[in-house]
Amino acid sequence: MTAKQRAARAKFKAVVAEAKKLRKKNPKLTQAQAVKQAFAISYGKKRAGVGAVKKKEARKKKAAPTKVKAKKRRSTEMHTDTKSHNVNIRVISGIGNIGQKFTRISNDINGNPRYVVHFLEVLNDEERTSIPFNKKYEYALKKAKKIGGKKYDNKSYGGGIVFQSYNIEKTYEDIQKLKNTMPKIRIYNV
């Protein structure tokens, strides 16, 4: 046992003895109150009557002047979708008809912006009616790859084709040209 431990033990024995004396003098004291007063006496603090030792009141801190926080300006062009299942998906607004077709998703690993479009937006009316449904996605993906589209596998957006683009209007125009200039297809044999 170290010297500090021996001294603490001796001090504790003295506190217990002092608590016994206090309880004999005042039988109304509980054991806890007697021990608190005994500790106060042994550490040189004044006794606080029958009850527990009064604690010093903490200094009240002056309230710092509150700063008015500037409101963050949100872009009027983007709307954040909070229910996106761990994927940062935003609906584009303010671009007219294009905004209804494309959905903004999180950037790629290099920080380039990405947009998802449903595969039916890549097909023209003839392709939509003549191709069986189970082949439409494959065909639309094959068409989209010619202008940089890739398959988008995600629970939050089924049947999507993703485009990496800094100019979404140009991408939309490319898709429209692709829709209109692709050669007519023959009806698949089912």
Side-chain angles (χ1 to χ4, degrees):
M1 195 186 269
T2 65
K4 285 185 178 182
Q5 289 173 335
R6 277 190 227 117
R9 183 183 237 181
K11 196 158 202 163
F12 184 74
K13 284 183 181 180
V15 167
V16 171
E18 184 69 29
K20 285 181 184 177
K21 287 180 191 175
L22 288 172
R23 291 241 12 225
K24 281 183 184 176
K25 288 180 184 176
N26 190 352
K28 290 182 181 179
L29 280 178
T30 62
Q31 183 70 31
Q33 290 172 336
V35 170
K36 282 183 179 181
Q37 285 189 7
F39 266 111
I41 291 169
S42 67
Y43 285 103
K45 297 180 181 177
K46 293 182 181 178
R47 292 192 328 198
V50 177
V53 177
K54 288 185 180 177
K55 295 182 180 179
K56 290 183 179 178
E57 291 184 21
R59 286 185 177 179
K60 293 182 180 178
K61 294 182 180 179
K62 293 182 180 178
T66 56
K67 294 181 180 178
V68 178
K69 292 183 180 179
K71 292 182 181 178
K72 288 185 180 179
R73 290 188 179 185
R74 291 192 177 184
S75 173
T76 56
E77 297 176 7
M78 300 287 183
H79 164 72
T80 305
D81 181 14
T82 56
K83 296 181 181 180
S84 59
H85 307 287
N86 298 329
V87 177
N88 185 10
I89 295 180
R90 288 178 255 160
V91 178
I92 302 169
S93 59
I95 308 179
N97 195 19
I98 300 172
Q100 297 168 352
K101 310 230 184 266
F102 285 93
T103 303
R104 174 81 161 87
I105 60 171
S106 58
N107 294 353
D108 65 3
I109 58 172
N110 297 319
N112 299 319
R114 297 187 310 160
Y115 298 90
V116 177
V117 67
H118 196 270
F119 75 94
L120 291 176
E121 297 298 326
V122 178
L123 302 175
N124 59 30
D125 293 334
E126 183 181 346
E127 293 164 340
R128 285 183 187 185
T129 57
S130 62
I131 300 174
F133 190 77
N134 58 351
K135 301 285 183 182
K136 284 181 185 178
Y137 185 70
E138 294 174 26
Y139 185 76
L141 191 59
K142 191 181 282 187
K143 282 177 71 171
K145 283 185 178 181
K146 293 182 180 183
I147 58 170
K150 294 180 183 176
K151 185 176 183 180
Y152 185 64
D153 289 328
N154 197 316
K155 289 181 182 179
S156 64
Y157 200 103
I161 298 174
V162 65
F163 293 95
Q164 179 240 319
S165 173
Y166 280 96
N167 187 354
I168 196 64
E169 289 89 0
K170 172 94 168 72
T171 305
Y172 180 73
E173 290 172 11
D174 291 345
I175 290 174
Q176 294 306 315
K177 286 179 189 174
L178 186 68
K179 258 183 172 179
N180 299 329
T181 60
M182 284 300 288
K184 304 283 183 181
I185 61 161
R186 293 183 186 153
I187 298 175
Y188 276 77
N189 293 332
V190 179

